Amino acid sequence: PSTDINADVGESFGRWRLGDDEAMLGIVTSANVACGFHAGDPLTLRRTCMAAVERGVAIGAQVGYRDLAGFGRRFVDVAAPDLTADVLYQLGALDGIARAAGGRVAYLKPHGALYNAIVTHEEQARAMVEAVLAFNRGYDAALPVLGLPGSAFLAVAEAAGLTAVREAFADRAYRGDGTLVPRSEPGAVLTDPAAAADQALRLVQAGGVDSVCVHGDSPDAVALATAVRTRLTDAGFGLGAFT
Amino acid sequence: PSTDINADVGESFGRWRLGDDEAMLGIVTSANVACGFHAGDPLTLRRTCMAAVERGVAIGAQVGYRDLAGFGRRFVDVAAPDLTADVLYQLGALDGIARAAGGRVAYLKPHGALYNAIVTHEEQARAMVEAVLAFNRGYDAALPVLGLPGSAFLAVAEAAGLTAVREAFADRAYRGDGTLVPRSEPGAVLTDPAAAADQALRLVQAGGVDSVCVHGDSPDAVALATAVRTRLTDAGFGLGAFT
Amino acid sequence: PSTDINADVGESFGRWRLGDDEAMLGIVTSANVACGFHAGDPLTLRRTCMAAVERGVAIGAQVGYRDLAGFGRRFVDVAAPDLTADVLYQLGALDGIARAAGGRVAYLKPHGALYNAIVTHEEQARAMVEAVLAFNRGYDAALPVLGLPGSAFLAVAEAAGLTAVREAFADRAYRGDGTLVPRSEPGAVLTDPAAAADQALRLVQAGGVDSVCVHGDSPDAVALATAVRTRLTDAGFGLGAFT
Amino acid sequence: PSTDINADVGESFGRWRLGDDEAMLGIVTSANVACGFHAGDPLTLRRTCMAAVERGVAIGAQVGYRDLAGFGRRFVDVAAPDLTADVLYQLGALDGIARAAGGRVAYLKPHGALYNAIVTHEEQARAMVEAVLAFNRGYDAALPVLGLPGSAFLAVAEAAGLTAVREAFADRAYRGDGTLVPRSEPGAVLTDPAAAADQALRLVQAGGVDSVCVHGDSPDAVALATAVRTRLTDAGFGLGAFT
């Protein structure tokens, strides 16, 4: 059996550095690269795409709300036509940078508050899917989309003929019903590498998961991602991008 | 004989409208569409590209400094690697939107202070050319670049194997030595449609010009552009995009 | 009897012009000046404050979400401590500019989606009031706040000891229950000057209203505002700022 | 004898953290707080001002070009009226936040490329001084300005009646003629705490210096600032804000 590990990278902005992208790109098989709306200046994106191509890591477009001050973590009530255009703009921008580096955008993953919103927000979910369909038509591509199993986003995407990739979180606590504990609650984030590795293996073995997400911006991100990767490979899982 | 008429479009931003893009797209053969850094929100760009494709007008990427407050009209001392990445980002973004509309980015034109800077600023000129070369490699494309005859930009572009398109301005006053009268001086901008049409015809007949630029954001932009187009066709020039 | 007329001004941004501020400042008694987060570059704010001081019009801080692309018309789920700091920042910025012009910020009015949100959003309403209280302490001031009668915002403000100024809209349609017809519905905006003037007079005569709002960014804004002013003065109302 | 130590603080932005402001505020006597144009979201500014007031550290407004992506380190050719308004806006914004914290803006220091530009750029230097004069009139204040000895900025400021505070850099290499080695050259920044402390003492003892600047955003910033402070007090200098 095999699976995929994804993490957010390219989230620095100008003078401000965030995460150890070099190290994370040595661990994951899919890299969710920021697209400039919630994080990621163009030079950071270019360097990140170059490093991803060099290591054979798949490049995903991590699209978000236009909100640098909020790092894309605040819901913005964007109208559907604007959201579609915003996402198409981000997809194109990152694809331009990825192609110049010898790669291409291979999938889309929504970021932060947008990711959470389209678990239930049908209109924004449809606007996102519109953008991917338009991109696919424009470049004769077939981008899959990464999202939460059971979300409106993945349902709309599949209904529109897109490939829906279901992800599980190694380092976020789950409730009994399978939804995530919100970040505002205590214990929402698992910080112990061993606990995260255990959870990752359990979720992958339970099935219904195509990719495991680890976060890249915590102090122990590299240790935690390494623990997850090791646990999965020790248990016999091959690792490779889903794309 | 034939020539091309180009104008800036897509320069609205959110609530703020600028220019009559619909009318201008009915007159010009090449449309310099803003790319979001000096103007142009993604939905505006999308609508503009759709309208351009519908009318068979060539889409150019009008790239600028990241400066909405200054509308890209202030020199910014951007380092070369940043400028290359900024331009690649803008090219990709607009191309994504153009392709979704059934078109593609067909050329690059620098905007405002960037246009003026790279008349003489060798380092920024090279950074711009780097971006176009990287885009061309990435998409197996051959974008030409539009610029001022005699500029460092066009010289560097040609030396790098790019097609350099020389433009003349219908509505900007020229000095005896062929350089433009700066906007800060009186008489820098021709507002009389007939005078602009006369100048356009004179410049095109003199040769060494591949495209005539008319500005789209003045109150009489449409009347002026119409006068230029009529004068050129009355004089027997065919009109078509240079791309 | 007397009342006040307020309108939004200072909403241009760099190259993009919006509204005829000069004309509006000749009609209204209170000017809601943008503060840079949803609109208004600093030079525009400075010129607007100078013109307001010259004409004896009261300057209000029209604070909004940090969202130029959305013109502050999209709800943003800002956390309370951020919203308080954002509003304090905007209040201080405009006050600096107003004082340099010989005036001062004399009241606060929330803009767009923020205005609408705090009709019911208790947490953001409290965050706004916190900001005004902090500003008042800092400058030994007593800013009143302008808002919708019956809103959570005005209730929280009054409970905290602030002066709550109740406004009515001349050019927005009301439902039977006194709430506004949303902009997304047909007929939400009254465009006929006479109809708006009628509504303004009716609302003021009904009582419970301290200021009448007219919008400044429609094509007929000046004609409509003039009609409202004339109708009110013809009916015997004196006009003067509530501050 | 006594002197002052100043450092830049408040330069985080949203999710991105920069520098150890808490530690630096325990060492310096004057804090150059960012004002939101090159860095510093409002909540960061508020917390920084609260911490400064608590520790009795003077609050200065560290104003910069409107350029988050470039961290204010790129020259922007802003026209004088815009620059004056931009600076007045920043001064007012920070003053609002400082007053709410029980303090006030006590001086102005230009940041980054703006600092460097007005060493020689007369027009921008005058625009800056205009802003301080307007602020002083508006609030009946007398802000001093911090700058490079011998700069056009300090000359224009003094000629206009402002108090000019001359600063020396503990951790920047000087040329024989007293100008700074540009950051782009090797050895431009002193990273050894002892060497910086030596240089600070030497410069202060030589006279003509009212404040010593230490940088807050390097990994060893706290150690270096501590060494400078200790060396100065060991040599018998009292430390206190110049304001």
Side-chain angles (χ1 to χ4, degrees):
Chain A
S2 85
T3 193
D4 171 78
I5 303 179
N6 78 78
D8 297 349
V9 294
E11 298 191 320
S12 294
F13 192 77
R15 174 71 183 80
W16 296 289
R17 318 309 303 169
L18 190 65
D20 183 350
D21 287 358
E22 276 295 321
M24 293 303 285
L25 288 172
I27 300 167
V28 302
T29 41
S30 292
N32 317 315
V33 184
C35 295
F37 270 40
H38 79 279
D41 63 278
L43 185 55
T44 289
L45 304 191
R46 196 167 187 212
R47 288 175 175 156
T48 305
C49 285
M50 284 172 169
V53 168
E54 208 170 276
R55 291 162 180 281
V57 175
I59 294 170
Q62 187 198 169
V63 300
Y65 291 128
R66 185 196 278 264
D67 181 14
L68 288 172
F71 198 67
R73 289 191 173 162
R74 313 189 284 208
F75 172 70
V76 182
D77 192 16
V78 191
D82 279 300
L83 184 55
T84 298
D86 283 359
V87 170
L88 198 45
Y89 182 95
Q90 293 178 72
L91 276 171
L94 189 67
D95 194 58
I97 283 176
R99 299 236 190 180
R104 62 180 184 89
V105 166
Y107 65 93
L108 173 142
K109 177 175 174 177
H111 167 80
L114 178 55
Y115 185 98
N116 294 331
I118 59 179
V119 169
T120 56
H121 197 303
E122 297 273 350
E123 192 188 353
Q124 291 200 352
R126 275 194 297 271
M128 296 287 297
V129 169
E130 270 311 303
V132 180
L133 292 171
F135 182 87
N136 283 348
R137 276 196 309 272
Y139 289 101
D140 199 14
L143 293 198
V145 298
L146 201 58
L148 194 71
S151 62
F153 177 47
L154 291 196
V156 174
E158 286 198 311
L162 298 177
T163 300
V165 180
R166 300 158 301 174
E167 74 171 342
F169 293 90
D171 49 6
R172 287 291 303 275
Y174 282 87
R175 287 170 167 152
D177 65 355
T179 63
L180 295 171
V181 176
R183 273 180 189 271
S184 52
E185 293 185 15
V189 178
L190 278 66
T191 53
D192 178 43
D198 287 347
Q199 172 162 308
L201 182 57
R202 197 167 55 241
L203 290 164
V204 169
Q205 284 177 331
V209 164
D210 308 304
S211 181
V212 173
C213 180
V214 293
H215 289 92
D217 62 351
S218 68
D220 298 318
V222 174
L224 191 148
T226 304
V228 169
R229 183 185 171 105
T230 304
R231 187 69 48 95
L232 291 172
T233 53
D234 284 357
F237 282 89
L239 291 178
F242 55 81
T243 52
Chain B
S2 84
T3 192
D4 170 79
I5 303 177
N6 78 78
D8 297 349
V9 295
E11 298 191 320
S12 294
F13 191 77
R15 175 71 182 81
W16 297 290
R17 317 310 302 168
L18 190 66
D20 183 349
D21 288 358
E22 276 295 321
M24 292 303 285
L25 288 171
I27 301 167
V28 302
T29 41
S30 293
N32 317 314
V33 184
C35 294
F37 270 40
H38 79 279
D41 63 278
L43 185 54
T44 288
L45 304 190
R46 195 165 188 213
R47 288 175 174 156
T48 305
C49 285
M50 284 172 169
V53 168
E54 209 169 276
R55 291 162 179 281
V57 175
I59 295 171
Q62 188 197 168
V63 300
Y65 292 128
R66 186 198 278 265
D67 181 15
L68 288 172
F71 199 66
R73 290 191 172 161
R74 313 189 284 207
F75 173 69
V76 183
D77 192 16
V78 191
D82 279 300
L83 183 56
T84 298
D86 283 359
V87 170
L88 198 45
Y89 182 95
Q90 293 178 73
L91 277 171
L94 189 67
D95 194 57
I97 282 176
R99 299 238 189 178
R104 65 181 183 86
V105 167
Y107 65 92
L108 172 143
K109 177 175 175 178
H111 166 79
L114 178 55
Y115 185 98
N116 293 331
I118 59 180
V119 170
T120 56
H121 196 305
E122 297 273 349
E123 193 188 352
Q124 290 200 353
R126 275 194 298 271
M128 295 287 297
V129 169
E130 271 310 303
V132 180
L133 292 172
F135 182 87
N136 283 347
R137 276 196 310 270
Y139 288 102
D140 199 14
L143 292 197
V145 298
L146 202 58
L148 194 72
S151 62
F153 177 46
L154 290 196
V156 174
E158 286 197 311
L162 298 177
T163 301
V165 180
R166 299 158 301 172
E167 74 171 343
F169 294 89
D171 49 6
R172 288 291 301 277
Y174 282 87
R175 288 169 167 154
D177 65 355
T179 63
L180 295 171
V181 175
R183 272 180 191 271
S184 53
E185 294 185 16
V189 177
L190 279 65
T191 54
D192 177 42
D198 287 347
Q199 173 162 306
L201 182 59
R202 198 166 57 239
L203 290 164
V204 168
Q205 285 177 329
V209 163
D210 307 304
S211 182
V212 173
C213 180
V214 293
H215 289 91
D217 62 351
S218 68
D220 298 320
V222 174
L224 192 148
T226 303
V228 169
R229 183 185 170 106
T230 304
R231 186 71 48 93
L232 291 172
T233 53
D234 284 357
F237 281 89
L239 290 179
F242 55 81
T243 52
Chain C
S2 84
T3 192
D4 170 79
I5 303 178
N6 78 79
D8 297 349
V9 294
E11 298 191 319
S12 295
F13 192 77
R15 174 73 182 79
W16 296 289
R17 315 312 302 168
L18 190 65
D20 183 350
D21 288 358
E22 276 295 320
M24 293 302 284
L25 289 171
I27 300 167
V28 302
T29 41
S30 292
N32 317 314
V33 184
C35 295
F37 271 40
H38 79 278
D41 63 278
L43 185 54
T44 289
L45 304 190
R46 195 166 188 213
R47 288 175 175 156
T48 306
C49 285
M50 284 172 169
V53 169
E54 209 170 276
R55 291 163 180 279
V57 175
I59 295 171
Q62 188 198 167
V63 300
Y65 292 128
R66 186 198 279 264
D67 181 16
L68 288 172
F71 198 66
R73 289 192 173 161
R74 314 188 284 207
F75 172 70
V76 182
D77 192 16
V78 191
D82 279 301
L83 184 56
T84 298
D86 283 359
V87 170
L88 198 45
Y89 182 96
Q90 293 178 72
L91 277 172
L94 189 67
D95 194 57
I97 283 175
R99 298 237 191 178
R104 65 182 182 87
V105 167
Y107 65 94
L108 173 142
K109 177 174 174 177
H111 166 79
L114 177 56
Y115 185 98
N116 294 330
I118 59 179
V119 170
T120 56
H121 197 304
E122 297 273 350
E123 194 188 352
Q124 291 200 353
R126 274 194 298 271
M128 296 286 297
V129 169
E130 272 309 304
V132 180
L133 292 172
F135 182 88
N136 283 347
R137 277 195 310 271
Y139 289 101
D140 198 15
L143 294 197
V145 298
L146 202 57
L148 193 72
S151 63
F153 177 47
L154 291 196
V156 174
E158 286 198 311
L162 298 177
T163 301
V165 179
R166 300 158 300 172
E167 73 171 343
F169 294 89
D171 49 6
R172 287 291 301 277
Y174 282 86
R175 287 169 167 153
D177 65 354
T179 63
L180 295 171
V181 175
R183 272 180 191 272
S184 52
E185 293 185 15
V189 177
L190 279 66
T191 54
D192 177 43
D198 287 348
Q199 173 162 306
L201 181 58
R202 197 166 57 240
L203 290 164
V204 169
Q205 285 177 330
V209 164
D210 308 305
S211 182
V212 174
C213 180
V214 293
H215 289 92
D217 61 352
S218 68
D220 298 319
V222 174
L224 192 148
T226 304
V228 169
R229 182 184 172 107
T230 303
R231 187 70 48 94
L232 292 172
T233 53
D234 283 358
F237 281 89
L239 290 178
F242 54 82
T243 52
Chain D
S2 85
T3 192
D4 170 79
I5 303 178
N6 78 78
D8 296 349
V9 295
E11 298 192 319
S12 294
F13 191 77
R15 175 71 183 81
W16 296 289
R17 317 309 304 168
L18 190 65
D20 183 350
D21 287 358
E22 276 295 321
M24 292 303 285
L25 288 171
I27 300 167
V28 301
T29 42
S30 292
N32 318 314
V33 183
C35 294
F37 270 40
H38 80 279
D41 63 278
L43 185 54
T44 288
L45 304 191
R46 197 167 187 212
R47 288 175 175 156
T48 305
C49 285
M50 284 172 169
V53 169
E54 209 170 275
R55 292 161 179 281
V57 175
I59 295 171
Q62 188 197 169
V63 300
Y65 292 128
R66 186 197 279 264
D67 181 15
L68 287 172
F71 199 66
R73 290 191 173 161
R74 314 188 284 208
F75 173 70
V76 183
D77 192 16
V78 191
D82 279 300
L83 183 55
T84 298
D86 283 358
V87 170
L88 198 45
Y89 182 96
Q90 293 178 71
L91 277 171
L94 189 67
D95 194 57
I97 284 176
R99 299 237 189 179
R104 64 179 183 88
V105 167
Y107 64 94
L108 172 142
K109 177 176 175 177
H111 166 79
L114 178 55
Y115 185 98
N116 294 329
I118 59 179
V119 170
T120 56
H121 196 305
E122 296 274 349
E123 192 188 352
Q124 291 200 352
R126 275 194 298 270
M128 296 286 297
V129 169
E130 271 310 304
V132 180
L133 292 172
F135 182 88
N136 283 347
R137 276 196 309 272
Y139 289 101
D140 199 14
L143 292 197
V145 298
L146 202 58
L148 194 71
S151 62
F153 177 47
L154 291 196
V156 174
E158 287 197 312
L162 298 177
T163 301
V165 180
R166 300 158 302 172
E167 74 171 343
F169 294 90
D171 49 6
R172 287 292 301 277
Y174 282 87
R175 288 170 167 152
D177 65 354
T179 63
L180 294 171
V181 176
R183 273 179 190 272
S184 53
E185 294 184 16
V189 178
L190 278 66
T191 53
D192 178 43
D198 287 348
Q199 172 162 308
L201 182 58
R202 199 167 55 240
L203 290 164
V204 169
Q205 286 177 329
V209 163
D210 307 305
S211 182
V212 173
C213 180
V214 293
H215 289 92
D217 62 351
S218 68
D220 298 320
V222 174
L224 192 148
T226 304
V228 168
R229 183 185 171 105
T230 304
R231 186 70 48 95
L232 292 171
T233 53
D234 284 358
F237 281 89
L239 290 178
F242 55 81
T243 52

